[in-house]
Amino acid sequence: PGAELVLDRTAASTYGNAVATAALVRSLAPDEVIVVTSSWHVRRAAALVRAAVRDSATRVVSASADSPRSLSAVVRELACWTLVPLQRPLLGRGGRARSSAARVGP
């Protein structure tokens, strides 16, 4: 109750979501950000968002819904994890992307 919900429907990547989230954190200065995604993807998504907002006082937590894990999704996720060490430093330097996030809550 009373929390603002922001949904980014057009992000093309998890990295793009993290950049958009960092921009929102800079402008809104929330106490907490909750990253919500599929169960097989939640750890990487939260790791990238944490890297993107690490210079703020905003707490990042994650939540996931039960979702089927196909072999192709798991393999893709494992492959994407190999990029995280390269992406984290970019996010920490304020990586830039267009934000298409829309506010949909109070």
Side-chain angles (χ1 to χ4, degrees):
E4 183 169 2
L5 175 64
V6 180
L7 178 63
D8 188 355
R9 294 179 188 250
T10 61
S13 68
T14 305
Y15 180 86
N17 281 129
V19 170
T21 300
L24 286 167
V25 165
R26 285 190 297 274
S27 68
L28 300 175
D31 294 329
E32 181 178 71
V33 169
I34 303 172
V35 177
V36 181
T37 188
S38 60
S39 60
W40 53 268
H41 179 58
V42 71
R43 294 176 83 193
R44 183 169 61 90
L48 290 177
V49 171
R50 282 187 187 99
V53 304
R54 69 177 166 232
D55 292 334
S56 75
T58 301
R59 183 172 154 238
V60 177
V61 297
S62 58
S64 64
D66 289 336
S67 53
R69 293 181 189 207
S70 69
L71 179 59
S72 62
V74 172
V75 169
R76 180 184 177 279
E77 189 64 14
L78 289 172
C80 288
W81 266 107
T82 64
L83 298 175
V84 171
L86 302 172
Q87 293 172 327
R88 277 185 176 150
L90 294 174
L91 288 167
R93 290 195 307 245
R96 298 284 182 251
R98 269 186 292 164
S99 173
S100 56
R103 293 180 183 178
V104 295

